[in-house]
Amino acid sequence: MSNAITADGLRKRYGETQAVDGVSLEVQRGEFYGILGPNGAGKTTTMELLEGLREPDEGTAHLLGTPSWPRDPALLRRIGVQLQASAFFERLTAREQIRTFAALYGIEESHADGMLETVGLAEKADTREDKLSGGQAQRLSIACALVHDPELVFLDEPTTGLDPQARRNLWDLLRTINSSGRTVVLTTHYMDEAETLCDRVAVMDHGKVLRVGPPRSLVQELEVDTLEDVFLQLTGREYRE
Amino acid sequence: MRAFLNLSLAMARGLARDRAAVFFTLIFPLMFLMLFGALFKDQGVGKSDIVQVGSVKVLDGMPDKERAGLRDILEIEKTDGSAAARREALEKVRKGDADAAVFQRDGKVELRYSAADQVRSGTVRGVLNSIVQQANQRATGQPPAFALQTGAVEDETTKPIQYLTPGLLGWAVAMGGVFGSAFNLVSWRRKRILRRLWLAPISARSVVGARIGVNLITAFAQTAIFLAVASLPYYGLTLTGDWWLCLPLVVCGTLAFMSIGLLVGSFAKTEEAANGMAQLVILPMAFLSGTFFPLDNAPGWIRTVSEFLPLKHLASAMQDVLTRGESWGTALPVMGGLLLFAAVLTAIAARVFRWDAA
Ligand SMILES: Nc1ncnc2c1ncn2[C@@H]1O[C@H](COP(=O)(O)OP(=O)(O)OP(=O)(O)O)[C@@H](O)[C@H]1O
Ligand SMILES: [Mg+2]
């Protein structure tokens, strides 16, 4: 069976910025994969290239054995994406949002309502998109990405802005999804999260993948105490602009 | 199909909950119709006010019967014949408070009127002239050899509501089309919904189709409300034969103006910019297309320009089928033209289309 993701030499340039500079990676089916890196490292852009949201300048990405560019609706049915910045239909309530997304994938309304409950938004079902708190919007965005039971899920900083309870709940949800054989790829700035969730992580900077491996092995290889030390050793300690 | 319907529903809900959008597409044009309809309802020239300074023989000596006949068209205010009163009367005319001043000097009846309102001054001149003529006749003691009886033709097609309704409806449909697609495109791009839809297994055709469907429903609602209001006895619109041909015209017009909106939305980065650009397109076009008032008296170059404006053709075709008894013959070429226009502009918009705000 083909890999969940096979990326080969992906490059993307925005004007002067080389956002992604030759990224190749392989993610096995059923794997929980993390992409780490400082702000502006190119994580989001890499995810977008993998998802087929943008056309790579160079390189190819295959998801579940199918090229993700050009756009392929049959493939899109099998993947779920939560974008770093949430995107909702204007002036619709939480329930209407997720039902609309469910309908795009031919999913029952009752299942959509169940998903809303899973992310703890049942009480906010009738609240309009612009009246949700940051964390609630984030949860709705995740629910919309998962509503069609995708085989491969991309989550861009899913836990940013969530309170500790919601974060733990989301971890449980993602573990459940993953243990049913689905592949999860996420980016995060929380090293504890990467350590507890991810089978393997890729550390990126300046559009390149610096190192890939299970968190524990990386800690051992670099002879440090935590994943955070690994991160800082690989990407340096100075601030990013 | 379910995806398409749900997407349409999501768009329709979003639109219906946008109070400003509802106001500007449904209520605002209707306000114009109601206002203009009321303003121009009795467009015939009403009573003329004239100031009579001192005694004027032909007026004072008018037989009662003739005086009664003039009551509906002439209101005469009398003042004393002093020089101050004359100055005051002339000042009134200058300010437009009176339509004319009349006085007698050396046996001559003198009439002073303002050139500002030519229709009005023409009427006053005519009426005074006929009064003087009749006085002359009485003086000769002969019965008149010829008499001209005049009266305005109360023709249905000349009632202002008959051209206001199609014109303003065309304008309303144009606004709905341009704003509907321009705003939608810009705000969906800014809110990244375009991107999100890219990641859902739905065709671009369904997305565009849903938007067109929602716009068409809005346009039909506009048409129904317009025709219903204009047909109220107060306004008295009378539709002619194949008036329902306005529906396919509304469809083609909506497509044509949505394509303009698509182009505007492809260029504009923010909703405010889209609003400004759309206004910049629509407002001059509305005036130059004769949707507010007819262009019959406009200079030739304006009429030449208007021939190139889709709204001109939509509005005049609407008038032809709604109130002038025309049929397929006039409607079909206009529909074809509007569709061609839509196709060309959509093709251009597709070339400059951007997914991202940046
Ligand atoms: N649409 C865009 N247009 C121009 N430049 C962009 C665009 N998107 C990203 N960039 C640039 O590409 C680089 C990588 O951005 P990217 O969003 O991939 O970083 P990231 O690793 O996701 O950062 P963060 O942790 O802050 O989310 C940055 O320097 C950014 O300025
Ligand atoms: Mg990012």
Side-chain angles (χ1 to χ4, degrees):
Chain A
M1 201 157 69
S2 56
N3 283 336
I5 301 176
T6 310
D8 190 25
L10 291 175
R11 277 177 216 278
K12 184 76 184 177
R13 171 181 276 280
Y14 292 117
E16 290 293 290
T17 317
Q18 187 70 48
V20 174
D21 194 6
V23 167
S24 302
L25 29 100
E26 292 199 351
V27 178
Q28 308 299 317
R29 295 220 181 187
E31 203 173 3
F32 206 124
Y33 197 89
I35 300 179
L36 311 180
N39 292 140
K43 304 181 296 294
T44 298
T45 311
T46 300
M47 296 270 266
E48 288 175 347
L49 294 177
L50 295 176
E51 292 151 3
L53 192 52
R54 292 177 196 275
E55 185 178 13
D57 296 339
E58 277 176 53
T60 55
H62 285 73
L63 305 184
L64 308 164
T66 312
S68 64
W69 187 273
R71 187 173 182 263
D72 177 0
L75 174 63
L76 291 174
R77 263 180 206 292
R78 302 166 68 191
I79 70 171
V81 176
Q82 176 245 329
L83 299 173
Q84 183 168 5
S86 39
F88 298 123
F89 293 101
E90 299 160 278
R91 289 175 286 277
L92 294 200
T93 66
R95 184 188 288 120
E96 288 163 350
Q97 302 282 354
I98 195 157
R99 283 186 175 183
T100 305
F101 276 111
L104 296 182
Y105 294 89
I107 303 291
E108 291 305 309
E109 287 190 346
S110 57
H111 187 79
D113 295 347
M115 199 65 224
L116 216 50
E117 210 153 309
T118 309
V119 297
L121 279 182
E123 271 176 38
K124 289 285 168 185
D126 294 317
T127 305
R128 289 221 202 147
E129 135 267 342
D130 50 339
K131 300 276 189 306
L132 292 173
S133 78
Q136 289 163 347
Q138 183 79 342
R139 284 190 260 165
L140 178 58
S141 176
I142 294 164
C144 290
L146 300 178
V147 71
H148 57 294
D149 280 331
E151 292 167 50
L152 171 57
V153 188
F154 291 93
L155 304 163
D156 201 348
E157 298 191 24
T159 52
T160 298
L162 295 193
D163 59 40
Q165 290 88 340
R167 199 153 85 105
R168 299 295 152 131
N169 285 338
L170 183 63
W171 288 3
D172 290 342
L173 175 62
L174 295 180
R175 281 203 196 95
T176 315
I177 290 173
N178 183 237
S179 62
S180 65
R182 288 154 209 282
T183 313
V184 180
V185 180
L186 61 69
T187 71
T188 181
H189 288 295
Y190 302 113
M191 296 302 132
D192 59 330
E193 186 166 294
E195 238 166 340
T196 44
L197 289 176
C198 297
D199 300 321
R200 281 195 303 155
V201 296
V203 182
M204 283 189 74
D205 202 3
H206 303 298
K208 292 190 167 74
V209 176
L210 303 176
R211 188 96 54 142
V212 184
R216 202 147 306 160
S217 327
L218 290 182
V219 171
Q220 282 169 6
E221 274 173 44
L222 292 173
E223 295 174 347
V224 289
D225 297 329
T226 62
L227 189 59
E228 184 146 350
D229 294 331
V230 172
F231 184 92
L232 290 173
Q233 197 168 100
L234 287 173
T235 61
R237 286 184 175 273
E238 71 279 13
Y239 273 124
R240 300 311 169 110
E241 69 275 15
Chain B
M1 195 61 198
R2 205 183 126 217
F4 173 76
L5 289 179
N6 273 272
L7 200 56
S8 308
L9 187 64
M11 288 181 189
R13 276 192 176 131
L15 191 67
R17 287 173 194 171
D18 183 352
R19 294 222 184 91
V22 170
F23 176 80
F24 276 106
T25 48
L26 289 182
I27 311 211
F28 187 60
L30 191 64
M31 277 166 46
F32 267 72
L33 178 73
M34 293 168 70
L35 190 71
F36 280 21
L39 277 181
F40 298 130
K41 196 160 153 351
D42 310 299
Q43 208 189 22
V45 180
K47 264 188 181 177
S48 303
D49 292 321
I50 66 171
V51 184
Q52 177 188 341
V53 185
S55 65
V56 176
K57 224 178 184 174
V58 287
L59 292 179
D60 296 333
M62 246 191 307
D64 286 343
K65 207 173 127 220
E66 200 181 325
R67 191 180 295 278
L70 287 175
R71 197 169 294 142
D72 284 341
I73 49 173
L74 214 56
E75 175 91 48
I76 303 173
E77 180 195 342
K78 273 187 172 177
T79 63
D80 63 85
S82 67
R86 185 183 297 181
R87 262 199 310 280
E88 198 181 319
L90 289 176
E91 187 57 30
K92 263 188 165 174
V93 175
R94 208 168 285 128
K95 283 190 185 153
D97 293 338
D99 296 311
V102 63
F103 46 87
Q104 194 162 2
R105 193 152 58 176
D106 311 329
K108 275 194 204 140
V109 179
E110 298 209 14
L111 180 70
R112 296 279 183 273
Y113 51 86
S114 155
D117 186 344
Q118 299 193 353
V119 179
R120 177 74 62 178
S121 59
T123 312
V124 173
R125 247 158 50 207
V127 171
L128 260 290
N129 209 3
S130 82
I131 294 174
V132 173
Q133 294 281 350
Q134 292 194 21
N136 279 337
Q137 258 165 23
R138 275 196 304 279
T140 63
Q142 299 275 333
F146 307 102
L148 177 66
Q149 196 90 40
T150 62
V153 181
E154 194 60 57
D155 179 2
E156 285 298 344
T157 55
T158 59
K159 262 173 50 186
I161 194 75
Q162 302 289 92
Y163 71 75
L164 277 177
T165 312
L168 289 175
L169 178 56
W171 171 62
V173 166
M175 285 220 301
V178 174
F179 281 90
S181 57
F183 260 153
N184 199 238
L185 185 54
V186 171
S187 92
W188 279 30
R189 182 166 51 224
R190 268 162 66 84
K191 298 207 164 156
R192 295 170 296 273
I193 303 173
L194 282 183
R195 283 267 166 216
R196 189 61 189 78
L197 286 176
W198 170 276
L199 291 169
I202 183 163
S203 65
R205 244 178 308 137
S206 301
V207 180
V208 175
R211 183 62 228 187
I212 290 177
V214 170
N215 253 58
L216 285 180
I217 290 171
T218 320
F220 285 146
Q222 284 175 323
T223 309
I225 297 174
F226 255 68
L227 295 187
V229 169
S231 300
L232 293 177
Y234 177 75
Y235 294 110
L237 173 75
T238 31
L239 294 170
T240 56
D242 293 329
W243 64 270
W244 55 269
L245 276 173
C246 74
L247 297 180
L249 273 171
V250 162
V251 172
C252 298
T254 297
L255 291 175
F257 287 99
M258 284 185 76
S259 72
I260 295 182
L262 213 54
L263 199 58
V264 166
S266 297
F267 280 111
K269 291 208 167 73
T270 62
E271 281 94 337
E272 290 75 24
N275 186 15
M277 281 162 78
Q279 250 347 320
L280 219 58
V281 173
I282 280 293
L283 212 58
M285 178 154 28
F287 280 106
L288 290 177
S289 300
T291 57
F292 295 121
F293 37 76
L295 289 181
D296 302 338
N297 298 322
W301 67 268
I302 288 190
R303 272 179 288 160
T304 311
V305 170
S306 79
E307 287 304 315
F308 293 95
L309 302 175
L311 184 51
K312 155 81 190 350
H313 295 282
L314 176 65
S316 73
M318 293 274 258
Q319 190 180 351
D320 286 342
V321 301
L322 281 176
T323 61
R324 281 192 173 149
E326 300 276 347
S327 185
W328 289 104
T330 39
L332 263 187
V334 173
M335 288 183 211
L338 288 171
L339 289 181
L340 186 68
F341 180 88
V344 171
L345 255 70
T346 306
I348 298 175
R351 296 191 73 100
V352 291
F353 183 83
R354 284 173 298 123
W355 284 92
D356 284 296

